[in-house]
Amino acid sequence: MVLQEEQLRIIFGLKLKQIRTERGLSLFGLSKKTQLSKSYLNEIEKGKKYPKPDKILALAKALEVEYDEMVSMKLSGSMAPLSDIILSGILKEIPLELFGIEESNLIDIIAGAPDKVSAFISTLFEMTRHYQVSRENFYLAALRSYQESHQNYFPDLEQAVRDFARLYQLDLQQKVKSAELAEILKEEFGYKLDEERLAKEDLPGTLRSLFIPKSTTLLLSPGIPEAQKVFILAKELGYCHLQIEDRPLSFSWIKFDRFEEVLHNFQASYFAGALVLPEDRICTALKSFFKEKQWDSARFHKLMSEFTDSAETFLQRLTNILPTHFGLNQLFFLRLQQNSDSAPVLSKELHLSRKHQPQALTGTINYCRRWLSTDLLLKPKNYYRSGALALGCQISVYQDTGEEYLMLGARENDPVSPNAQRSVVIGLELNANFKKQVQFHKDPKISTQIVGTSCETCSVQNCEQRVCPPHRLIKEEQEQLLQERLKQILEEETNLNN
């Protein structure tokens, strides 16, 4: 395998450099002892070349080590953890190129301070095992970092949508219909659409679509809402127009085997969102909406329904548009899901503000019931309603940090799970730029709530919505009191002895 050959070259190069350094030899000095060129030795140490047996023998003799030790796949001393890291293949799992990092450069950094860096990386691996972080979760976390580093806006994908619309004469000034997308898939890309097969299959869970590459057939779950159907077909067109082949075949995805699948899934989804909510048209609509002096849920619903009936598609698209076109880059996006007999669970998040509230927490957590996200799920009757859809607006003030956000959110039936609901919310920091852009933030009818992150960590007093005591907060306070008391005892003893 290519990967095994690369691992062999890298480890041999590191070992050669380690032994050479221990012997107090420069590359020039080793070159003189072995009659091998300095440039050739440098390429070996960088993992670019693996020497033939006669040259390994010459190196072993010059460095006074056994041949078997030179070809061993184990490094020694402080470098030992580095060989385990390389052999594990974990560096291949990390999408380093996405962040402009060369694997060789990372290995050089690790090799330059093996005690500290190797211990740090080993600790990260131990943490992922301890908290049972799956490969998929790791990939999705890397994708979120990639989105955040680009303000979740990708001009090449926006341009690809404009090119697609021009190529197939799709009117982006009108609400996209599934019938016209289906026609393009069939006529231009040879797709066959089947809306009966999945209903006949005894599949665990729910599946909205399945693509069969061999026959270029897209199986669609019968009875899915028009908004979901539009998004699925638009996503398929994204794969086709962007010429993406390495992709997940099911929607929703079941398993990601490679990061490329995660990235390509995101790119096709971005394409679909930009097709449903075209950049120029949504910007014009938002500018008009933000000029309103008062918050109007019905007006917000009308704005959304001009593009799509999916609240998640609409609010997710705002995370692309608001940072670039309105300068509103201090924002987060949350999706909570709830079955009829369970507490809300945070299932999707994005934080362009790079701040830590509110983010998903591990373990069994009772997320703050004062959030617009949870309140929409638990008390939908308190909000503007249109069928199964509930819409709301809230100013959230975080108790522990003082951060203020204007929250726009919606509750809708979960299209994946028939007996579940989900809420989607975008939070926009109430800073000077936001107040200048969005006029209705001063509307006194918008509810203001003091919120926390979870009941377990919340310091809000006399909260009627609290479902459990602040266990974690109490423990932290007890530890703080203990530390203060120990410090006081030590100071008293010091004063007595002086």
Side-chain angles (χ1 to χ4, degrees), residues 181-195 197 209-220 233 236-237 239-241 244-245 247 249:
L181 300 184
E183 183 181 16
I184 298 172
L185 277 171
K186 289 186 285 189
E187 295 295 329
E188 295 295 326
F189 297 102
Y191 268 59
K192 292 185 284 290
L193 303 183
D194 187 335
E195 299 188 45
R197 173 81 180 275
S209 69
L210 178 65
F211 178 61
I212 304 175
K214 189 173 182 179
S215 60
T216 322
T217 301
L218 182 65
L219 306 182
L220 293 166
L233 298 181
E236 283 298 322
L237 287 167
Y239 286 130
C240 294
H241 185 68
I244 292 173
E245 295 182 0
R247 49 162 289 185
L249 301 178

Side-chain angles (χ1 to χ4, degrees), residues 24 35 87 157 170 189 198 215 247 290 306 340 356 425 492:
Q35 300 302 307
L87 289 170
L157 295 175
L170 194 64
F189 297 102
L198 287 181
S215 60
R247 49 162 289 185
F290 287 162
E306 288 174 359
S340 55
H356 299 292
V425 166
E492 289 173 354

Side-chain angles (χ1 to χ4, degrees), residues 79 148 343 425:
M79 296 281 278
E148 290 164 4
V425 166

Side-chain angles (χ1 to χ4, degrees), residues 8 28 65 69 81-82 93 120 123 170 230 239 281-282 310 331 335 383 389 415 456:
L8 192 65
F28 179 81
V65 298
E69 183 182 343
L82 185 51
E93 301 285 351
F120 171 69
T123 301
L170 194 64
V230 165
Y239 286 130
R281 188 166 150 234
I282 187 62
S310 168
L331 63 80
R335 181 182 70 198
Y383 296 91
L389 183 74
E456 288 81 353

Side-chain angles (χ1 to χ4, degrees), residues 332 334-338 342-346 358 365-383 390 394 396 398 407 409-411 421-425 449-455 463 465-467:
F332 61 80
L334 302 177
R335 181 182 70 198
L336 271 70
Q337 292 175 288
Q338 181 189 34
S342 64
V345 175
L346 186 53
I365 292 296
N366 293 287
Y367 288 105
C368 181
R369 294 300 200 263
R370 295 183 174 208
W371 284 0
L372 178 64
S373 310
T374 48
D375 205 42
L376 278 164
L377 287 170
L378 300 172
K379 301 174 184 176
K381 292 182 179 179
N382 293 346
Y383 296 91
Q394 178 191 91
S396 300
Y398 279 85
M407 316 280 282
R411 171 198 181 273
Q421 294 76 42
R422 68 184 182 190
S423 68
V424 284
V425 166
Q449 285 282 2
I450 305 296
V451 301
T453 299
S454 70
C455 289
C463 177
Q465 289 93 335
R466 183 182 290 281
V467 295

